Amino acid sequence: MLQMLHLIGLGLVLLIPLTNPLTSVALFLSLSGDMSREERNSQAMMSSFYVFLILIISFFCGEVVMKLFGISIPGLRIAGGLIVAYLGFRMLFPPPSAHKILEHKEGEGAKVIKPATQNIAFVPIAMPSTAGPGTIAMVISAASTWHQVLDYSEWVVYSSVIATSLILALILWISLRSSGMIMQRVGRSGIEAISRVMGFLLVCMGIQFIINGVFELIKTYSGA
């Protein structure tokens, strides 16, 4: 039990700064401005579930999948950087009709058609905002090296990984559920401002991911 608590604590210390739930809350606020309370709660629950799945799959299957498809850690970082940068540009320069409500007039009455709710749970909230390239790379690296570093039994390590993933998913769920109170205080204009700021930060983060991936790629092949 002490070994399990030690591993859970170590995992939380390493992964909470990488997952950074507060960043996910800001992004969630900027993308869910037109959603109802029920829709936001549903997206928050799905995001937490996806984060749990990503962490578990990355630990138990990540190395195998990457070897199977010939994906390297630098490639993962660069791909994640491109996705983050693209999402940032979309938030900085949203399409003109993205948040408009269409009206279809029929006779004397007017029928208001609300656009379908955008599914933001997996992309970008769960990945790459919460479980991004850095988090996935850290989990895969831990999965491939824990045999050499730790002298713990497999069931202790595996149970600790599941428990740590559950705790991180719970932290994200609580953080996203609190976004409703933040939204009431900030208002629509504040959310739009947050969206622009987060868009700029996401572009910067995406470019930095790409830079890190390129440097790591150069380092890998130059040392080979």
Side-chain angles (χ1 to χ4, degrees):
M1 181 60 69
L2 290 178
Q3 291 179 344
M4 188 180 299
L5 291 176
H6 173 260
L7 290 179
I8 292 173
L10 181 62
L12 292 176
V13 169
L14 291 174
L15 292 178
I16 285 179
L18 287 173
T19 55
N20 198 354
L22 294 180
T23 302
S24 299
V25 170
L27 181 60
F28 186 76
L29 279 172
S30 64
L31 294 176
S32 61
D34 293 331
M35 295 182 185
S36 65
R37 181 178 179 182
E38 291 75 16
E39 290 170 340
R40 287 197 303 271
N41 291 342
S42 175
Q43 293 291 311
M45 177 64 71
M46 291 172 61
S47 299
S48 303
F49 177 69
Y50 287 144
V51 166
F52 173 77
L53 282 184
I54 291 169
L55 293 175
I56 293 297
I57 293 173
S58 297
F59 186 87
F60 290 101
C61 308
E63 189 177 8
V64 175
V65 171
M66 292 182 69
K67 286 183 178 179
L68 180 64
F69 291 98
I71 303 171
S72 63
I73 296 296
L76 182 68
R77 292 186 187 278
I78 293 173
L82 290 173
I83 295 173
V84 171
Y86 170 75
L87 293 171
F89 277 117
R90 287 290 302 271
M91 292 170 64
L92 271 176
F93 309 105
S97 60
H99 302 290
K100 289 183 179 180
I101 297 178
L102 303 178
E103 293 186 358
H104 177 64
K105 294 185 177 180
E106 296 180 352
E108 296 180 357
K111 183 180 179 181
V112 178
I113 303 175
K114 184 181 177 182
T117 302
Q118 182 184 6
N119 191 346
I120 60 174
F122 189 78
V123 177
I125 301 300
M127 188 177 70
S129 177
T130 306
T135 304
I136 294 174
M138 172 70 74
V139 172
I140 293 176
S141 175
S144 60
T145 58
W146 74 266
H147 296 279
Q148 306 168 5
V149 178
L150 300 174
D151 191 20
Y152 295 164
S153 61
E154 288 189 357
W155 76 269
V156 171
V157 175
Y158 294 159
S159 301
S160 301
V161 169
I162 295 173
T164 302
S165 302
L166 278 173
I167 294 172
L168 287 172
L170 180 62
I171 291 174
L172 177 65
W173 178 73
I174 294 173
S175 301
L176 295 181
R177 283 295 297 264
S178 66
S179 64
M181 295 183 293
I182 300 174
M183 186 172 291
Q184 292 177 355
R185 293 178 179 272
V186 172
R188 183 171 297 276
S189 59
I191 292 170
E192 291 180 355
I194 291 174
S195 177
R196 299 299 190 277
V197 173
M198 281 304 302
F200 176 73
L201 292 177
L202 283 179
V203 171
C204 296
M205 289 168 59
I207 298 299
Q208 189 61 51
F209 283 158
I210 295 172
I211 292 173
N212 293 343
V214 170
F215 275 121
E216 192 170 346
L217 188 66
I218 295 173
K219 183 179 177 181
T220 300
Y221 284 97
S222 63

